[in-house]
Amino acid sequence: MTDTAGTLTDVLIVGAGPTGLTLACDLARRGIAVRIVDKSPSYPRSSRAKGPNPRSLEVLADLGVIDEVLAAGSAPLPMRKYRDRLPVMDTDPYADSAPTPDAPYDRGWLIAQWRLEEVLRDRLAASGVHVELGAEAVGITQIARADGETGGGGETGGHVTVTFAAGPPVRARYVVGCDGAHSPVRKLLGIGFDGETHAEQMMVCGDVALTDGVLDRDRWHQWFDEDGAVMLCPIPGTPSGWWFQAGPERDREGRPLAPSQDGFRRLLTRHTGLPGSHLTDATLLSTYRVNVRLADRYRVGRVFLAGDSAHVHAIAGGLGMNTGIQDAFNLGWKLAHVLAGRAGAGLLDTYEEERLPVAARTLDLTSERLRATLAAIRKPGGGLDSAITPETAGLGTGYRWSSLAAEDRDAPGGQGPEDGPHSGDRAPDAPCLAAATGAPTSLFRTFAGPHLTVLGFGPGSRTALREVTAAYGDSGAVRACRVYGAGETPGTEAHALIDHQGYARAAYGVGGSGAVFVIRPDNHVGIVAPADSPRAVREYLDRLHRADGAVGMVDAVR
């Protein structure tokens, strides 16, 4: 590590997995001084997570790495199920699925975790930030105030010093522990991690190489028998690599054996009938046990938890890495706003307020999906597709309960209670045309970046958008965007869009009198207001950006 103990960085991230890297990329693009460290002496080559779900793909698109992610991976594969070594069914969980105007990604993406981390590290390096390896956190000291030192957001001083097993300490205004289920940061903070371990629900995992041509690489092969199981999924971007998952071998007393290459060969032969010699290599061997745990708190002073350090749950549904990526996307803009002096420190309290309930629901959802999958595989033709539901896509996750959610329930004109997104919901996408050039674009492209976006539908939104432009101008904090209908004559406003197919108005449930939506930097709706209610929009933005430490969003339009 670089000896910078005498300097003060804005944010120190401990842990350089997908969660920490997502947060670092988001902060770096917002101009925040960020350092990211990891205890590993070299970049880990972990393949545990099989890839981002649709909501995480939206996050990665916002960060500007979606093309690299899609190129490095593959679409989810159809599943071939076997019983007694014979194929009994092929299932494609996404056969009837397709992207829609409001959701450009209708399925997750298969990509090895190590490859996703490479993509994110490259993106981070483009911002001049590099992961610092060999940094094991062993101590955390928080200083509430340091004389003469001023923090962002109207705060006076305060910082955290993190000490390491080797190398100099690091001083930062904020620290985020993204250091996994065994998180040293969480333990150093004394945060409880209540839950339970289901020791009987376990499997052995690893990356293996198989002889070319033994199995078709266009299928995820799944053998489920009464005495165990083997699952083999080809790893995208590799010529002969496969993800291997299986029920463990057991000794005569029924105790599970540790995973080994020879053990994997025996399991392969037992369940598939293939000679074990076709398994030519096995690495990254591990034993997975179902753990369901949730941190008591996500924050102690200036230190936060994100990802597996805050929550772990059943593997069913593939939500572990995805929940962490979305933790990071929620926290990043809030830290940046406070450090830039655009918001008071009270904004940071909304991170736990919003994300802890999401994690609690995720624990319930994944446990439910695990039970459904275990029941399904007892019958021929059952498989891992039982773990996939619309909820596991992540597109329905929102924060209607949050103090950042403010809404006039009678708005927009003609909008019923179930039409369009409410405050706290994920903001939908829609294809549009750029009013200035006529070039194809989308709402998501307008949202992408560190700013809030104010969407105005209908002529009545003109005043609200004009006030936003006058108040924030070219600060980069807020972008005003008029969305014109196909029959309207567009004006000359910057960022104006033409809803040429009507998809934007439909996605947002906008009636004839129009509406205004404030979209947060993490692509969730902040406020829904009538088009002729500039005061509600102005008060919401003022409250979000004030630097007195309070938030008070609930009363923004009451």
Side-chain angles (χ1 to χ4, degrees), residues 256-268:
L257 299 178
S260 67
Q261 181 167 298
D262 286 341
F264 281 12
R265 286 172 172 160
R266 289 189 293 268
L267 288 166
L268 180 72

Side-chain angles (χ1 to χ4, degrees), residues 400-554:
R400 291 190 182 186
W401 62 84
S402 171
S403 59
L404 293 183
E407 181 168 328
D408 182 340
R409 291 294 178 175
D410 295 327
Q415 176 173 306
E418 301 303 325
D419 296 327
H422 287 241
S423 298
D425 291 350
R426 165 191 167 273
D429 193 15
C432 297
L433 301 176
T437 65
T441 185
S442 68
L443 291 183
F444 275 6
R445 291 180 185 176
T446 298
F447 300 160
H451 54 270
L452 288 92
T453 305
V454 181
L455 288 181
F457 293 85
S461 67
R462 186 181 298 112
T463 299
L465 295 175
R466 185 169 56 244
E467 290 186 2
V468 167
T469 301
Y472 294 94
D474 297 326
S475 68
V478 182
R479 175 177 292 177
C481 176
R482 172 74 185 276
V483 183
Y484 287 91
E488 296 181 273
T489 301
T492 59
E493 307 98 330
H495 313 298
L497 302 173
I498 301 174
D499 183 22
H500 59 301
Q501 296 173 292
Y503 286 127
R505 183 173 283 264
Y508 284 79
V510 178
S513 59
V516 178
F517 296 80
V518 176
I519 311 300
R520 299 168 13 168
D522 59 353
N523 289 15
H524 284 265
V525 177
I527 183 175
V528 183
D532 58 356
S533 186
R535 179 174 175 271
V537 175
R538 183 177 63 250
E539 288 184 353
Y540 184 87
L541 293 173
D542 287 348
R543 289 172 184 246
L544 182 59
H545 287 89
R546 70 188 186 184
D548 61 2
V551 179
M553 294 298 176
V554 173

